[in-house]
Amino acid sequence: MKKMPVWLTLVIVVIACNNNPSSDTGKKDDTKFAGIPDRKWWKEAIVYQLYPRSFKDSDGDGIGDLRGIISKLDYLQSLGIDAVWLNPIYSSPNDDNGYDVSDYRDIMKDFGTMEDFDALLKGLHERNIKIVMDLVVNHSSDEHEWFKQSRSARNNPYRNYYHWWNAEKGKPPYRYSLFDINHDAWMYDSLTNAYYLHYFSRKQPDLNWENPQVRKEVYDIMKFWADKGIDGFRLDAFQFVSKDTTYPAFPKGFEKNFILYYAMGKNLHGYLQEMNREVFSKYNMMSVAEGAGNTFEDAHNLVDAGRKELDMAYAFEGVDIGNPKGYDFLRFKEVYSRWDSAFAEKGWLSVFLANHDQARMVSRFGNDGPAYRDVSSKMLNTFVLTMRGTPYCYYGDELAMTNIGFDKIEDYRDVPTLNEYQYQKKTGGNMQEFMEKIKNSCRDNGRTPFQWDTTAHAGFTSGTPWIRVNPNYTSLNAAAQEKDPESVLNYFRKLVKLRKENPVLVYGKYTLLDKSNPKVYAYTRELNGEKWMLLLNFSKDAIDYNFHEYKTINKSLVLSNYADAPEVAGPSVKLRPYQAVIYKML
Ligand code: GLC
């Protein structure tokens, strides 16, 4: 046989590499993934959201920092996760824990230095963990140089970096502020006799995205971090950036539904396409924005591949349902199923039950009492890690960390909560009701320090923690769970591994079963002739669950959150309280 010339072999190899559907995933192709179209690393990734302020303190000032995270890199690797999303770590006076940035190219003093960041990036990449940064550009801090310039004079070149309303025109049409002590988003500034706009706190003035100079600054900032080698951005509050700068009056009471008025301004898609052209298209990065508009159409318009805007939608309808006092479970199933089916053919979703703006997952969706805390947390983790979409797992949920439930206002740190407390007091609100509400729902519940071990302050810091440590750390902590093969932590690791090894859990078709069952969430996932079934008991009742149309099909048990296998009796399986069972149909 005639030998192929070397140059031809090379050409063939190059062509083959370019056609490899897995080239975007950074992994070797594998028969399990054969024939899957549009594979992307960020679809296959499991994202771990890490709140740097509360993860690990290395210098004893009571505040988590980058060196602290570096000291726990092996722990992160041991989880098996693929990417870490870091809440903001840029310079900030910390009115809103870093969501008020005073320098986008520097690191917050509390968190360390740029050298620390570079070391963190290197350490993560060495362990094959990607890093996604929070990008907070709907607003900056009022201590950012741009704002200092902007407010200094009406004719300052930075004036139009923000939204100003000159006071001689009278009061501007009302805008609701989510964080302001008076709920008013216009703040009067006597220096230039004008009001500036702040949808969040007074120390978070909104940037004027209609100004091309602002957009260019943001793209330059993004490139600065992308050139360092980061792997993605989460765009904070981004759906609010495009505003009608004629500031028309909104109907009375609009604030009850402010997203309808604030989100998806008419230039938003144009800005995202510009950002994609200028930044995302030039790097192998993932992009996700907080919020997904008001409709499926909005969400698709943000993320469908052909539009060249963002990669995946991050919608709140599901996570918003959770409530420690009970929630509408049928609605929960309906919402997740509706979103899945709306994205079955096109677009990609994020799947999550918690983040830094929510109280703890197990307290809101499961049962955080001692009897069921661990098992219900395992069940919820099973849900997040077996749905279609990219799972976002929030730090501490791999241990079943719970709400702390502060009773005293002095224990709270969250700026909107503290401001709302003042507002309620001033306006004669029912303070008892208010305190009860924040005890269950304040986001400080989800921000308490990570519980490493039984030493002082849960091993988080040698100093005084910036927010109280949950006293349950003496029994609920990573060190104890490391040693226990049946712990939530070790179950979480098994789930992560299962998802990584089985593309059916990533790409497989999702079908809701038994939709009106008031206690069990049952669904199948199917891919390339493989079919898996998930049964999740969301209640504390034992249930004889009938397999219905699947009763005669042989099943092999893949995983359960109880140590011993569930008992199958004829056409049904006995599900114990909060039991999660994963079957593979044979
Ligand atoms: C987003 C963040 C939240 C922050 C707010 C203002 O909603 O997730 O934590 O307080 O934006 O930046």
Side-chain angles (χ1 to χ4, degrees):
M1 205 173 66
K2 236 178 125 190
K3 258 183 90 188
M4 201 186 294
V6 174
W7 67 267
L8 186 56
T9 323
L10 283 176
V11 170
I12 291 171
V13 169
V14 169
I15 292 173
C17 286
N18 287 341
N19 284 341
N20 180 353
S22 67
S23 59
D24 233 6
T25 60
K27 262 174 273 162
K28 254 182 75 191
D29 206 0
D30 163 338
T31 49
K32 283 187 171 176
F33 284 90
I36 298 171
D38 301 328
R39 288 185 60 199
K40 298 281 182 233
W41 70 262
W42 42 266
K43 292 183 181 173
E44 294 171 19
I46 294 165
V47 180
Y48 183 81
Q49 186 193 344
L50 190 160
Y51 199 65
R53 209 174 171 76
S54 298
F55 195 61
K56 175 73 186 164
D57 175 23
S58 71
D59 59 5
D61 66 357
I63 299 173
D65 49 40
L66 302 185
R67 286 276 152 205
I69 304 174
I70 292 171
S71 72
K72 295 295 182 185
L73 283 172
D74 291 343
Y75 172 78
L76 293 175
Q77 185 177 28
S78 80
L79 297 176
I81 48 105
D82 305 278
V84 165
W85 154 24
L86 280 189
N87 290 98
I89 55 166
Y90 316 101
S91 295
S92 165
N94 272 312
D95 188 54
D96 184 22
N97 289 358
Y99 281 96
D100 46 322
V101 179
S102 53
D103 185 347
Y104 291 94
R105 289 184 176 82
D106 203 358
I107 303 292
M108 189 192 299
K109 297 253 170 328
D110 292 339
F111 289 171
T113 62
M114 195 56 91
E115 287 70 52
D116 296 337
F117 175 80
D118 293 339
L120 173 62
L121 182 68
K122 187 161 172 279
L124 284 167
H125 282 173
E126 276 165 6
R127 290 165 180 79
N128 280 324
I129 301 174
K130 297 187 188 290
I131 182 166
V132 176
M133 303 270 285
D134 222 308
L135 184 73
V136 191
V137 288
N138 170 69
H139 44 270
S140 72
S141 161
D142 66 338
E143 296 182 34
H144 194 291
E145 189 54 34
W146 299 335
F147 190 73
K148 289 188 194 160
Q149 293 288 334
S150 183
R151 68 178 292 226
S152 67
R154 285 189 181 185
N155 61 1
N156 186 284
Y158 286 89
R159 186 67 168 181
N160 282 333
Y161 271 45
Y162 296 86
H163 298 269
W164 289 98
W165 176 279
N166 292 339
E168 60 272 18
K169 292 196 282 178
K171 276 204 86 174
Y174 177 60
R175 287 294 180 270
Y176 165 71
S177 161
L178 286 84
F179 287 9
D180 189 73
I181 204 159
N182 296 323
H183 295 183
D184 187 352
W186 287 109
M187 176 72 188
Y188 178 69
D189 192 27
S190 59
L191 204 62
T192 55
N193 189 34
Y195 297 85
Y196 68 84
L197 187 70
H198 63 92
Y199 280 180
F200 295 92
S201 90
R202 291 174 186 180
K203 288 187 65 61
Q204 295 169 295
D206 284 41
L207 282 159
N208 179 9
W209 271 72
E210 312 307 314
N211 179 350
Q213 199 54 38
V214 167
R215 305 202 296 274
K216 184 172 179 315
E217 298 261 20
V218 171
Y219 307 147
D220 285 349
I221 290 164
M222 293 172 80
K223 285 185 222 158
F224 170 84
W225 290 98
D227 288 336
K228 273 187 170 289
I230 70 152
D231 306 286
F233 281 114
R234 174 260 185 192
L235 275 55
D236 181 69
F238 200 79
Q239 50 178 354
F240 300 153
V241 298
S242 164
K243 296 171 176 93
D244 181 344
T245 48
T246 64
Y247 313 109
F250 290 154
K252 208 170 160 24
F254 84 90
E255 62 272 20
K256 289 191 199 85
N257 217 345
F258 69 92
I259 303 267
L260 266 183
Y261 295 84
Y262 283 9
M264 311 301 292
K266 76 174 188 338
N267 294 325
L268 183 77
H269 292 299
Y271 298 158
L272 280 171
Q273 282 159 15
E274 183 181 69
M275 180 185 284
N276 190 300
R277 240 180 359 254
E278 295 292 322
V279 188
F280 294 135
S281 66
K282 303 194 163 125
Y283 302 87
N284 181 21
M285 301 182 98
M286 66 158 257
S287 56
V288 56
E290 182 191 23
N294 294 300
T295 60
F296 287 142
E297 198 189 341
D298 283 348
H300 273 294
N301 286 344
L302 290 169
V303 302
D304 285 358
R307 295 184 54 89
K308 300 202 180 336
E309 295 187 24
L310 297 166
D311 289 331
M312 64 178 112
Y314 189 95
F316 289 111
E317 196 178 351
V319 77
D320 281 348
I321 295 174
N323 186 335
K325 301 220 154 142
Y327 60 95
D328 184 345
F329 176 60
L330 291 182
R331 183 160 164 248
F332 177 82
K333 296 202 286 187
E334 186 270 325
V335 166
Y336 277 94
S337 305
R338 189 157 38 78
W339 275 90
D340 182 87
S341 69
F343 279 72
E345 302 299 329
K346 249 184 166 187
W348 193 255
L349 293 173
S350 312
V351 178
F352 59 100
L353 289 178
N355 62 36
H356 64 292
D357 292 329
Q358 310 283 342
R360 280 283 168 192
M361 172 174 88
V362 70
S363 303
R364 298 179 70 225
F365 290 98
N367 184 327
D368 64 7
Y372 300 121
R373 183 192 70 207
D374 288 3
V375 75
S376 67
S377 167
K378 288 176 182 172
M379 185 274 292
L380 295 167
N381 279 314
T382 312
F383 173 73
V384 174
L385 286 159
T386 59
M387 288 293 282
R388 177 159 55 183
T390 299
Y392 285 70
C393 304
Y394 188 56
Y395 88 102
D397 283 347
E398 76 275 28
L399 304 180
M401 278 178 60
T402 62
N403 278 1
I404 189 162
F406 293 132
D407 287 316
K408 295 194 304 267
I409 195 68
E410 296 74 41
D411 284 330
Y412 286 91
R413 298 288 176 267
D414 179 41
V415 69
T417 303
L418 297 174
N419 285 350
E420 188 60 19
Y421 178 84
Q422 297 300 338
Y423 178 83
Q424 291 295 331
K425 254 180 110 169
K426 218 170 44 184
T427 57
N430 181 332
M431 294 317 283
Q432 206 180 332
E433 228 171 63
F434 175 75
M435 291 306 292
E436 183 59 22
K437 183 171 161 226
I438 59 176
K439 181 174 183 163
N440 287 309
S441 64
C442 176
R443 51 192 196 165
D444 278 345
N445 280 300
R447 297 176 173 185
T448 60
F450 190 90
Q451 295 167 205
W452 291 106
D453 54 39
T454 55
T455 62
H457 311 305
F460 163 68
T461 180
S462 57
T464 307
W466 70 277
I467 189 168
R468 273 177 50 201
V469 175
N470 195 316
N472 65 13
Y473 78 90
T474 50
S475 58
L476 196 176
N477 60 70
Q481 295 199 19
E482 286 289 355
K483 285 187 245 143
D484 174 5
E486 299 304 325
S487 65
V488 184
L489 176 60
N490 282 317
Y491 180 79
F492 179 86
R493 288 175 172 139
K494 281 185 214 162
L495 273 174
V496 167
K497 187 159 181 282
L498 195 67
R499 186 176 179 98
K500 305 232 43 97
E501 288 172 356
N502 293 283
V504 62
L505 295 178
V506 178
Y507 293 107
K509 174 172 170 233
Y510 158 96
T511 309
L512 174 68
L513 306 175
D514 205 7
K515 138 174 180 229
S516 49
N517 190 311
K519 293 176 179 163
V520 177
Y521 197 153
Y523 49 101
T524 55
R525 303 293 313 274
E526 279 170 81
L527 185 77
N528 292 342
E530 227 181 86
K531 188 165 190 166
W532 291 39
M533 177 194 251
L534 286 107
L535 302 177
L536 310 178
N537 181 0
F538 269 70
S539 80
K540 62 175 186 308
D541 302 328
I543 290 169
D544 264 337
Y545 186 77
N546 191 306
F547 286 120
H548 301 280
E549 72 258 45
Y550 296 109
K551 61 176 178 269
T552 55
I553 298 186
N554 284 334
K555 305 163 200 71
S556 89
L557 179 69
V558 178
L559 192 66
S560 154
N561 59 349
Y562 277 77
D564 45 350
E567 195 186 317
V568 178
S572 56
V573 55
K574 287 190 188 309
L575 292 179
R576 282 176 277 179
Y578 298 104
Q579 184 151 26
V581 193
I582 308 180
Y583 286 115
K584 189 170 172 177
M585 316 277 215
L586 301 174

